[in-house]
Amino acid sequence: IGAKAAGAAVAAKANEAYSDLAPIMRQMRANGSTQQAIADELNQQGHTTRHGKQWNQVQVKRVLDRFQESAQ
């Protein structure tokens, strides 16, 4: 039970952290931007990941995947 609760807590924090950026990222992707282009744009605008790091295409993919699942 402890591991499941911890996993759920991590997922909830990630959802909360990226809930404002996810719609922007999804729109950019729908408009044809690559994951790297999205990462570059987020970095240029001064956005960081929830750990204070710069965005890269893998992190963009993870956020897009996470919010795609919750949208279904």
Side-chain angles (χ1 to χ4, degrees):
I1 294 175
K4 284 186 180 181
V10 169
K13 284 184 180 183
N15 286 344
E16 182 180 329
Y18 301 129
S19 63
D20 58 333
L21 289 178
I24 296 165
M25 295 166 76
R26 287 172 57 192
Q27 183 62 49
M28 291 175 71
R29 189 71 174 131
N31 289 341
S33 294
T34 64
Q35 292 168 355
Q36 186 60 56
I38 294 169
D40 293 343
E41 182 64 25
L42 292 173
N43 290 329
Q44 184 178 8
Q45 292 179 9
H47 296 287
T48 59
T49 68
R50 65 188 171 119
H51 297 292
K53 308 274 187 194
Q54 287 202 329
W55 287 92
N56 65 45
Q57 67 91 20
V58 172
Q59 292 158 316
V60 169
K61 180 182 183 335
R62 288 180 179 154
V63 172
L64 289 171
D65 289 349
R66 174 182 300 278
F67 283 89
Q68 184 62 34
E69 290 172 8
S70 64
Q72 293 178 355

